[in-house]
Amino acid sequence: MKNANCKVDKGYRIAEVDNRIYGSFIEHLGRAIYGGIYEPGHPEADELGFRKDVIDLVKELKVPIIRYPGGNFVSGYNWEDGIGPKNKRKRKLELAWRVVETNKVGINEFVEWSKRVNSEIMLAINLGTRGIDDARNLVEYCNHPGGTYYSDLRVRNGYREPHGIKTWCLGNEMDGDWQIGHKTAQEYGRLSCEAAKVMKLIDPTIELVVCGSSHRLMDTYPEWESTVLEHTYEWIDYISVHSYYGNPENDTPNYLAKSLDMDTFIKSVIATCDYVKAGKGSNKTINLSFDEWNVWYHSREQDKKITSWSVAPPLLEDVYNMEDALLVGSLLITLLKNADRVKIACLAQLVNVIAPIMTENAGSAWRQTIFYPYLHASVYGRGAALYSLTETPRYDTKDFSDVPVLDTVAIFNDNQNEITIFAVNKDIQENMLVNYKIKGFGEFRIIEHIVYQNDDVKTSNTKDYPFRVIPEIKKDSVIEDGILKALLPKLSWNVIRIAIEK
Ligand code: AHR
């Protein structure tokens, strides 16, 4: 048995967690839209063709905001192709993923669907093949009340009320040479500044996310951030951060240490933002939108076999196991520990494409392993993130040294008078006893200790075995002399919910 100590104090707040940190992402990619959220003719389809079984699973996750429509897709997308009568919509070659896009779902349908799942939309504009003109037209279409060409076009399409989209992305991963319309930092900095200007001239209440680097190992990182921010600082509110992780070497301890990479990435993007701020002598702080993060590696080989120009092929369909769920848990803890600067984050993606929710065409829908840490964080992680001063055993791996065996963070929900502790025990052999000294709250009691664990870290939930690994309630944790003594099984994700009595 390993031991660790953790101090949680009401007075030591990191920040109020912005609920949008529990956002997600749906791209026109693979079966995310077609066969995922939308499948007319499915026994569960509603009058617009949206699968009600999928809607129920998304609602269970309480996803506050969903990024749409891409991703790489957006850099070649003409949004006008997705509006108006469905039988007149064009089928087009979609070059980012080399498929055929039917355009049966567009912005209006996505707005309808987002209302059904109680989510806001974070809408990305195309700064690959398009630019300033398209940016202003789309904001006018979505957010202007009426009396102009594009706002009246929306009204004619059946939407008298504006869509009122508040958060917008200025393109996607424009630093990547795979991106349609890839740009240098100078080119993108100028273009995104001018696009941002017209968008805010139409609707000054919107918030804008400018593209940061596609990942930390890009040759242009962090020069890209610095140059782009030099151009756009006064017009934008957030800079994007993207990162995917995997375990191709099949080295579990090293894999579970990869949340350290996310933390380093976040800290260095913050440093770059603040460097530009200092140079400009600005009072404005740019925050982070970590709008693509997840595990992505299981499906990469299988995707190479998919032939081009089909409709909604099964692309990026990672089947997640228990160790993926543990890493996702640690990544969520990392985002929460940086809640003072990470205001938006999107688990990429939501349905079928590297997703917590899977569907079978004409068949069932089920929860992957990564569904559960995301669910717990989104449902129980609302409130203020507290500094959790932790003494934990540590280990070294191929890529990391001094890796904490215990990852943990506490969230205080003032409205419900509850504290939630999230914790991952990364030890592959031993359980861990953690003494949590909880200060400044008076008396408290354990509501429940949820544990997600399985002795086989390669176990998955599948269509045929959708409930093979589900969370359990454990009774092993106790409060003694005002100290929470939490027993965390080896290789486990834990949620300890505490009620404050006085
Ligand atoms: O989420 C899958 C892809 O990953 C997105 O389209 C792109 O932005 C990123 O490279």
Side-chain angles (χ1 to χ4, degrees), residues 107-141:
I107 180 62
N108 297 324
E109 288 80 22
F110 199 73
V111 165
E112 285 291 349
W113 182 79
S114 68
K115 286 182 190 153
R116 285 161 167 72
V117 297
N118 306 321
S119 297
E120 262 181 60
I121 298 175
M122 179 176 180
L123 194 62
I125 62 162
N126 173 357
L127 287 185
T129 58
R130 296 187 128 188
I132 304 165
D133 202 33
D134 174 49
R136 69 171 176 176
N137 295 345
L138 185 54
V139 179
E140 184 182 319
Y141 183 87

Side-chain angles (χ1 to χ4, degrees), residues 25 27 29 67 70-73 97 172-173 178-179 214 242 244 292 296 316 348-349 353-354:
F25 173 31
E27 178 168 359
L29 196 185
R67 185 164 173 255
N72 296 340
F73 168 81
W97 303 100
N172 176 69
E173 294 189 350
W178 60 89
Q179 200 69 216
S214 303
H242 290 183
Y244 293 99
E292 288 190 34
W296 173 14
L316 281 67
Q349 299 191 11
V353 172
I354 43 173

Side-chain angles (χ1 to χ4, degrees), residues 242-268:
H242 290 183
S243 200
Y244 293 99
Y245 301 95
N247 187 13
E249 316 91 353
N250 195 15
D251 176 348
T252 300
N254 190 55
Y255 179 49
L256 295 182
K258 291 189 177 180
S259 58
L260 292 179
D261 181 87
M262 178 190 247
D263 193 60
T264 305
F265 195 7
I266 290 172
K267 299 274 193 311
S268 60

Side-chain angles (χ1 to χ4, degrees), residues 274-347:
D274 293 350
Y275 166 80
V276 177
K277 177 181 179 175
K280 287 184 175 289
S282 175
N283 290 327
K284 179 178 174 185
T285 299
I286 302 297
N287 286 317
L288 275 52
S289 171
F290 212 126
D291 46 44
E292 288 190 34
W293 69 271
N294 202 350
V295 170
W296 173 14
Y297 78 105
H298 295 285
S299 59
R300 290 206 188 249
E301 285 309 308
Q302 147 196 334
D303 282 353
K304 291 181 189 154
K305 298 181 202 143
I306 290 179
T307 49
S308 299
W309 316 130
S310 54
V311 175
L315 283 163
L316 281 67
E317 298 206 357
D318 275 37
V319 175
Y320 292 118
N321 58 33
M322 280 305 291
E323 65 181 11
D324 300 326
L326 297 181
L327 182 67
V328 163
S330 284
L331 295 171
L332 283 160
I333 289 172
T334 306
L335 291 168
L336 289 169
K337 283 181 167 172
N338 287 287
D340 54 335
R341 296 298 290 273
V342 179
K343 299 296 172 185
I344 303 171
C346 302
L347 177 71

